[in-house]
Amino acid sequence: MSQAFGRGWKVGRRQQKSWNRPRTTGQVASKRERVSEVAEKETLDVRPARSSAECRAAAHLRALTFYNYPADRSEYARRLHKQMKTDAEWESIENKLRGNEVGYENVQVDCLIATVPEEMIIRSEAVDPSFLSYKIPGREHNHARCVVGTLDINRGPKLPAEEMAGILPKENPLARGYLSNVCTLQHMRRKGIAKKLISQSFLNAQRMGVEILYVHVAEDNLPALKLYEEMGFTIEAKEKANASQLLGRPSRMLLHVKLP
């Protein structure tokens, strides 16, 4: 599973080679050392999803993040379930970008993706078997890349089907923006990917005419709350407990940040 930072918003030391002993846990971990530095190098690229392949890769990551797949089902059934969710998310992303999604007629949407070269993904038990599903094929001499993070920027007075809406700026509701579908691939978390995605969202949201950017976060999602607060977000409202109980999910908070 992957880490989600809000649906409406989910390393070891190097050891010397030894030819006379089996590979140890520390040596295996050292192979992952490169991955821990992804967010600090130019290998991590954050940009809007534009091609169908990029949208599909983002959709697959969301399907891995936001849905549960019962362990008591067969591997074939789980894969089929993931495929169905991926296709649904893929269609939704493309419809939103085209302005054709039902309910989003008055909402401008942009989808950001964070990608790394395919070789940066360590093939291990931590990597989902359907690895290729969030891979973007390379063109000509370019290497394939994999989507390891994604989010949506939604410009409009409120998110469709969302009762908890922002109130700022009061004089211009169309200058409100909302982050949604924020998530990173599980074994790539804690590497600055979400932070870079959100930082880039500030710039893209400004270009879209957003002045105040909002995000919904579950109260029990402490890592996400800490990250958003570090990036300048403040709490504007809290969801009533009875509302979240009726929906069968944790209570959420609405945070906002004023863009420069």
Side-chain angles (χ1 to χ4, degrees), residues 119-184:
E119 57 268 23
M120 296 298 296
I121 300 291
I122 303 297
R123 294 177 182 271
S124 69
E125 293 181 0
V127 180
D128 186 84
S130 50
F131 165 79
L132 295 178
S133 294
Y134 47 85
K135 172 180 171 181
I136 304 169
R139 294 183 177 179
E140 298 179 354
H141 301 294
N142 295 328
H143 294 292
R145 300 184 68 85
C146 295
V147 172
V148 294
T150 179
L151 62 75
D152 287 341
I153 306 169
N154 308 265
R155 185 179 72 87
K158 62 174 291 186
L159 280 174
E162 177 59 67
E163 294 184 2
M164 191 160 57
I167 61 173
L168 301 174
K170 295 182 179 179
E171 66 282 0
N172 186 11
L174 292 178
R176 294 174 197 158
Y178 296 83
L179 295 181
S180 63
N181 300 312
V182 188
C183 60
T184 57

Side-chain angles (χ1 to χ4, degrees), residues 164 177-178 212-217 224-225 228-229 233-237 252-257:
M164 191 160 57
Y178 296 83
I212 303 293
L213 189 60
Y214 284 91
V215 67
H216 297 81
V217 187
L225 286 171
Y228 287 121
E229 288 175 350
F233 283 83
T234 57
I235 300 172
E236 179 175 297
R252 299 173 307 154
M253 293 187 289
L254 182 65
L255 286 66
H256 77 257
V257 64

Side-chain angles (χ1 to χ4, degrees), residues 88-110 154 160:
E89 288 285 344
W90 185 15
E91 181 179 13
S92 178
I93 291 173
E94 293 199 327
N95 282 339
K96 287 175 183 177
L97 294 180
R98 296 190 191 106
N100 296 332
E101 181 77 350
V102 176
Y104 281 77
E105 293 83 358
N106 299 315
V107 180
Q108 180 185 359
V109 180
D110 201 7
N154 308 265

